[in-house]
């Protein structure tokens, strides 16, 4: 659970990701045979440093092209850490479960327990908009429903909590530096979560509409989010997907393996109409895909 101000605890209580080993939605440890099959079946270009270059689609499939200025293109070409990199917590300590990911994004986690599951999706979206200089679109709701934009924050507006209400006042000097942007995101991470992100995204109800950058989300407590980080397709129009996530405690953003199908891992077969979607570290029930 994120550390929060006392007055705002009530409405942020339900925003965090599920805790490891505390939920029946978490995946049990796979047996050694499953891990061996996955190791032998992976088609990974270990020397490459982007999702698009590192992960070859299964035989008969090809990458779907993303427009150069799209959110999907940004994710698929985001720099990865060297192959085999461990997932690290915000304090630099490796997490205990290191066999369920296939890549780690080369992006900081911060030094506080803030950038968890919903926050990882928020971080990627915000970084994309920041790089594209689409500053007017960088805005996120707190779980309370209050909205704070980057434009307001960089102009000195800060959030103040009184009981269960939030107010905003200009109390700081103008600062549009990247460090100020990271401070803004840490504030968003503290007060936003699965519930707020679910409300400010749009439902995706058709498989053919799923694209890189869309999220699969369970809002609430426990709640969780993964985001699509690659899409491939065969000649019959059948699509497979890569999935990525952050987690609790705050840790490296990473690409998930697929322990349910060691012969196509890390690619997933997704269905917007499925009653349940199982991912490497969390079971989503019901299936709820959404788009920014």
């Amino acid at each position: 659970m994120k550390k929060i101000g006392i007055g705002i605890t009530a409405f942020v209580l339900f925003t965090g990701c599920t805790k490891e080993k505390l939920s029946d939605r978490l995946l049990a440890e796979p047996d050694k045979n499953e891990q061996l099959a996955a190791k032998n079946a992976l088609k990974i270009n270990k020397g490459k440093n982007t999702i698009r270059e590192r992960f070859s689609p299964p035989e008969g499939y090809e990458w779907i092209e993303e427009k150069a200025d799209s959110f999907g293109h940004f994710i698929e070409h985001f720099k990865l850490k060297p192959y085999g990199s461990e997932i690290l917590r915000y304090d630099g300590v490796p997490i205990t479960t290191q066999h369920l990911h296939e890549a780690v994004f080369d992006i900081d986690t911060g030094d506080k327990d803030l950038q968890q599951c919903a926050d990882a999706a928020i971080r990627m979206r915000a970084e994309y908009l920041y790089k594209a200089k689409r500053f007017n679109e960088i805005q996120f709701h707190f779980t309370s429903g209050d909205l704070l934009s980057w434009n307001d924050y960089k102009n000195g507006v800060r959030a103040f909590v009184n009981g269960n209400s939030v107010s905003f006042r200009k109390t700081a000097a103008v600062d549009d530096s990247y460090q100020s942007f990271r401070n803004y995101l840490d504030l968003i991470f503290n007060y936003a979560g699965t519930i707020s992100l679910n409300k400010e995204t749009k439902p995706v109800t058709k498989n053919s509409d799923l694209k890189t950058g869309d999220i699969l989300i369970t809002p609430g407590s426990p709640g969780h989010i993964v985001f699509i980080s690659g899409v491939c397709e065969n000649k019959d129009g059948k699509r497979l997907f890569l999935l990525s996530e952050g987690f609790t405690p705050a840790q490296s953003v990473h690409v998930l393996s697929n322990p349910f199908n060691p012969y196509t891992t890390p690619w997933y077969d997704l269905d917007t109409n499925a009653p349940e979607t199982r991912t490497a570290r969390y079971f989503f029930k019901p299936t709820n895909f959404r788009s920014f």
Side-chain angles (χ1 to χ4, degrees):
M1 183 60 62
K2 300 173 185 177
K3 292 182 174 63
I4 53 179
I6 295 175
I8 206 166
T9 301
F11 72 75
V12 186
L13 182 61
F14 302 102
T15 67
C17 303
T18 182
K19 303 293 184 182
E20 289 185 85
K21 300 182 180 178
L22 294 183
S23 171
D24 59 3
R25 296 189 187 221
L26 292 180
L27 178 67
E29 295 283 327
D31 62 33
K32 292 181 179 179
N33 290 332
E34 287 176 335
Q35 293 186 53
L36 180 60
K39 181 178 180 181
N40 292 339
L42 292 176
K43 300 177 180 178
I44 296 177
N45 305 308
K46 298 179 181 180
K48 302 297 184 179
N49 66 353
T50 67
I51 288 177
R52 183 90 178 197
E53 294 175 323
R54 186 174 292 181
F55 297 104
S56 299
E59 185 175 354
Y61 287 79
E62 294 184 355
W63 274 96
I64 289 181
E65 294 296 329
E66 289 281 348
K67 294 181 179 179
D69 62 349
S70 69
F71 185 32
H73 186 277
F74 175 80
I75 291 174
E76 292 176 5
H77 291 82
F78 201 92
K79 185 180 179 182
L80 300 175
K81 291 186 176 181
Y83 184 79
S85 293
E86 291 185 310
I87 297 173
L88 303 179
R89 301 190 328 184
Y90 63 94
D91 56 5
V93 177
I95 67 167
T96 57
T97 305
Q98 295 287 349
H99 65 282
L100 294 176
H101 74 282
E102 291 301 337
V104 174
F105 284 72
D106 190 4
I107 190 169
D108 74 278
T109 307
D111 59 1
K112 300 180 178 64
D113 191 9
L114 293 175
Q115 189 175 289
Q116 299 178 2
C117 64
D119 313 308
I122 290 172
R123 178 74 186 277
M124 297 304 294
R125 181 66 179 178
E127 291 283 354
Y128 159 66
L129 295 173
Y130 187 91
K131 182 178 180 181
K133 301 187 185 303
R134 292 163 56 178
F135 303 125
N136 292 339
E137 299 176 51
I138 305 176
Q139 52 184 350
F140 298 96
H141 289 86
F142 293 176
T143 303
S144 62
D146 296 281
L147 181 69
L148 181 60
S149 70
W150 161 235
N151 281 341
D152 283 342
Y153 186 91
K154 72 182 182 184
N155 286 323
V157 174
R158 298 294 183 265
F160 294 86
V161 177
N162 183 12
N164 289 328
S165 64
V166 182
S167 60
F168 299 95
R169 298 195 300 274
K170 179 177 171 57
T171 60
V174 174
D175 184 354
D176 63 356
S177 67
Y178 183 78
Q179 183 56 56
S180 178
F181 176 65
R182 280 294 288 114
N183 294 341
Y184 162 75
L185 288 178
D186 277 349
L187 181 62
I188 295 299
F189 298 161
N190 207 13
Y191 294 123
T194 55
I195 293 175
S196 59
L197 197 54
N198 185 67
K199 290 179 179 178
E200 63 187 23
T201 50
K202 300 173 292 185
V204 181
T205 58
K206 296 192 301 183
N207 292 340
S208 58
D209 290 338
L210 286 176
K211 63 185 181 302
T212 300
D214 289 347
I215 61 176
L216 172 60
I217 179 170
T218 294
S221 179
H224 192 50
I225 290 176
V226 298
F227 61 91
I228 295 175
S229 46
V231 186
C232 65
E233 186 177 55
N234 66 14
K235 63 181 180 180
D236 297 320
K238 174 70 175 177
R239 293 185 174 188
L240 297 175
F241 305 83
L242 296 174
L243 297 176
S244 298
E245 67 174 9
F247 214 76
T248 300
Q251 57 194 251
S252 310
V253 182
H254 51 274
V255 179
L256 291 167
S257 59
N258 181 359
F260 308 105
N261 191 337
Y263 300 101
T264 61
T265 185
W267 297 89
Y268 281 80
D269 184 0
L270 302 178
D271 183 357
T272 59
N273 296 312
E276 177 184 74
T277 298
R278 296 190 169 200
T279 68
R281 300 175 73 190
Y282 191 82
F283 298 167
F284 292 84
K285 186 176 183 179
T287 296
N288 177 29
F289 285 101
R290 304 187 72 84
S291 180
F292 286 98

